[in-house]
Amino acid sequence: MGSTVLSLRIDGELLDRLRSHAAKRGMSVQDYVARTLIREDFDERFKTAVDETEKFYGAEGEEAEPRQAPAPPRDHVRPSAGIA
């Protein structure tokens, strides 16, 4: 995987804030910005995957009938059986 140069023109105040955030994490501004972009890209791809999964399986709460707990077996003995 190669790398490519990306030039940005940003406001001095924004650059100062980026420097501050990067310094708190012991990173360069370039590394901080790249990591932030990677995280945003991951978040976006993850949300898209969740949305596609919900479309495929149906979102929660869209079922025609609510789910019910299965009935206990008929030979099930309740703890209070035989106690008055």
Side-chain angles (χ1 to χ4, degrees):
M1 179 171 99
S3 63
T4 304
V5 173
L6 171 66
S7 266
L8 297 172
R9 185 180 306 258
I10 61 173
D11 180 71
E13 194 174 307
L14 175 58
L15 181 58
D16 290 340
R17 288 200 320 263
L18 289 172
R19 281 185 182 133
S20 173
H21 290 298
K24 288 178 188 175
R25 291 162 180 80
M27 303 169 73
S28 69
V29 173
Q30 291 86 348
D31 289 343
Y32 177 78
V33 170
R35 179 174 277 191
T36 301
L37 292 171
I38 291 167
R39 184 178 63 237
E40 280 294 316
D41 181 57
F42 172 81
D43 291 347
E44 186 175 316
R45 287 183 291 132
F46 182 77
K47 182 179 179 338
T48 300
V50 169
D51 291 345
E52 290 297 318
T53 301
E54 286 179 349
K55 271 192 236 175
F56 183 77
Y57 289 107
E60 285 292 317
E62 290 184 8
E63 297 176 12
E65 298 177 17
R67 292 183 185 169
Q68 296 178 357
R74 291 191 182 265
D75 63 335
H76 179 76
V77 177
R78 292 176 289 145
S80 61
I83 301 174

